Structure formats: structure tokens, C-alpha cells
Amino acid sequence: MKTINVDIKDVLATVSREDIACLEGKGAEALDKVLGGTGAGSDFLGWVNLPTETTDALLDDIIACADQLRATCDTVVAIGIGGSYLGAKAVIEALSDSFAAYRPGMQGEPKVLFAGQNIGEDYMYELQDYLKDKRFGIIVISKSGTTTEPAIAFRLLKEQLERQLGVEEARKRIVAITDAQRGALRSLATEEGYKTFVIADNVGGRFSVLTPVGLLPIAVAGFDIRALIDGAAEMEKATSEANEQNPAFLYACTRNALYNAGKKIEILVNYNPKLHYFAEWWKQLYGESEGKDHKGIFPAAVDNSTDLHSMGQWIQDGERTIFETVITVLEQKYEKLIPSDDANLDGLNYIAGKHIDEVNKMAELGTRIAHVDGGVPNLLISLPALREKYLGQLIYFFEKACGISGYMLDVNPFNQPGVEDYKRNMFALLAKPGYEKETEAIQARLK
Ligand code: PA5
């Protein structure tokens, strides 16, 4: 069975196998908490057995809904933010043609666009302008059903869709994914009679990509969600025991050993531009799960070789508080060779006939050797190819490792109390009803 692999040999100049082994007891306790539900935040562990417990009936329902949207729309806008956005965006970008955004959307092959992941006025203006002659549909996703960014986007796009199609037709092209009972979005969906899917109470936003939250937009984009879930289910089984054959356990123990050795920043490195948003998803997963109680590895990311020409100097030679986790994609989908040129004015004939990916792999290897020599420990994660099954494995691998790693750090990996602080200030500044005291206090500070 092809599967992802974790190689830690290039961290051993900084932390020894013994340093890592010393943490295995703590790692085993952490894995027990994840599997047994005995740690903080245990009411948010619904993601742990999700891949093996996902029913065919649910997948059939999601695929039928996606087919319906594909048949009627040339564009589908997925509205959501944070965990209600990044997983779908990551998988769609990883699997899509790099120039999909520039090709016209077609019925049967709709373009999936995103909204509600920012509060950009120009973004919304331009999106609505683009949609004015499109046959579009909407997937609105919010677990709480009360998040401001997606609520604003939905208010605008719902009104536009109703104006373009009429209220009845618009209703058929809107799908809501939200809590089973609570929240403004659930009430609105019930009132309007939209097709809905439920985000289970026990699955937090950033762990929700393998629920309808991620699966519906991914299926609308035309990708195989069964293979995604199958890959995740393989990884669920491969990560159930506390030993070094469990890649999530090995990764969690190794990154905590590095953290204890003063490596406070982890840079997720890719050499494939299609993984840019995967890194964004990973940053949210680890940032919101671990950054608590003034602790936690800071998750950063670079896209190489692009960023070797911007961040490469810092990584090679800046403060030695970083380590890297490189994702290497072993097999490419297409072949493209470097041609020979008689004049050879660019001096490239020495690599003529080689695959572009061979050059990319040498850039990757050369950089890894240089960074290790420069004092930057490197973990290496190999991904057989950018395909649904392996992405499912990678997603679940990172989720499981995140739960283990968070418990090893003695934080609750499943809450995000810090995210509320900006909301309180924003609501106070906007004079939201119910925030009168906060409005008065914040206005006094601004005088
Ligand atoms: O991980 C999380 O819980 C958050 O990032 C949420 O996904 C994000 O804030 C969006 O929340 P909601 O789905 O309730 O709109």
C-alpha cells in the first residue's frame, strides 16, 4: 500500500533519538487522551473516528447534492471562514489545474469560488460583478451560524441570486452547512427550506474538512470524496498505537523534542505550488490548536523554490529558532522535459532531456542539505502523489498529530479562546446591540 512517510534523520544533529524517545511516554499518554477522550476538550473528538465511521449514505447524499449543483450552475460560491473554508480550498487547489481560475466555468464542471473568508469591500464588489451574468449557486458554511464575515457575504449573495433567478429558483441553488439546531444560519435555512447538512457538535471547525464542510465543495469541484475518505481511514488505522511506526506519533514526539530544544518556529515547506493552501490549512490547524497559555510552536510556511528567492536567506542564516517540515510529492501527474537548444545561449543544455521535476527535486535536496548544515533541523514527509487518497492520508495524519502534540504541550488543542478577543472589540466598535458597555469602554480608550 502506498502511503505517506515521515523521515526524521535530518533532525538528529539537533535532537538525538534518545531525546525523542524520552518524550514517547508523554506522547503515549497524549494519544490515549485522543483515543479515549480523557483530556481537555474531549467533547470535540468527533473527528478521530470520522473516516471509518463516515457512512455510504452520507457520501451518497453529498455526491447527489454536488451533482445537482454541478448540473445547474457554472459557478458555485462556497462561503465560510477558518475551518469552514481552508480545508476545501486546500484540497481543491491541490487537485485542480493551476489555471482553472482563468478558464470559463461551465455547467457540469462549475468553477468553485470562495467568499466570506475576508471582509474586503472590493473583493465583494468584484465577486458580485463577476457573478452578474453567471448561473451561480451558494454553499454557505458556518458551524456557529453567527460568524460575521460569512454572514455578510451570504446576505449579499443571497440577495443577488434571488434578484437574478427569483426566490423560488434561488432556494434550489443554496445549500447550508451548519449546526443541527443552533444559530442564525440554521433558523434561516429552516425558514427558507434550503437543503442542509449538519456539522456535528463534536467536530471543531479546523478538524471539519472530512465532514460535509469540506466534502461538498470538493465534490462540486469534481473530485473523488470517497477516495479522500478512504485515504483518511487508512491513516486512522495506521495512527492508533504509540510507536514509531505510527507517523503521527513520531511527528508529534519529534516536533516537541525540537520545541524543547529551543526551536520555536516550524516552517512547512513545499516544492509544489498546488500545496500553498494546504499550508494555510495546516497553519490554522496547528496555530489555533497549540498557541495557548503563552506556549506553542509558531506555524509558518514557504512555497519553494519561489520563496528561496525571498525567505531563503533568513532560513539559511537568520536566528536559529526554526525547524522545517518539508512535504515532498514523489510523483507528478504530467511529464515535461527540458528541451535541448543548439545555440545554448542560456547554458541550460547540461540539463536538457531531464524532467523539470528532477531539477525541482535537486533544488529541494540541495536546499535541505544547506539548511541542515546551517543549523535548521528538517523533517521530511513524502507524499506519493497529489491524489485524493494521499491527501486524505495527509489531512488525517496532521489532525491526529495535532491532537497528540497539543496534549503533549499540556494545552487544550480543541478550543480557541483567543479568537474571541478580536470579535469582542470589533462588535464594540461597531456598536452591536448587547455590547453597550464594551462600546463605551473602547471608545474611551480611543479618545
Ligand atoms: O477552527 C475553528 O473553530 C474556527 O476557525 C472556525 O472554523 C471559524 O471561526 C469559523 O467558524 P464558523 O464555522 O462557526 O463560522
Side-chain angles (χ1 to χ4, degrees), residues 43 54 97 150 238 289 344 348 352 400 439:
D43 40 352
T54 300
D97 183 295
S289 299
N344 194 29
L348 280 186
K400 186 64 113 3
T439 300

Side-chain angles (χ1 to χ4, degrees), residues 176-187:
I177 307 179
T178 188
D179 185 86
Q181 262 117 37
R182 288 184 301 263
L185 181 57
R186 170 56 61 184
S187 318

Side-chain angles (χ1 to χ4, degrees), residues 127-138:
L127 176 63
Q128 291 204 271
D129 189 52
Y130 174 80
L131 292 172
K132 68 177 185 259
D133 56 356
K134 301 289 180 298
R135 297 167 58 82
F136 74 98
I138 300 174

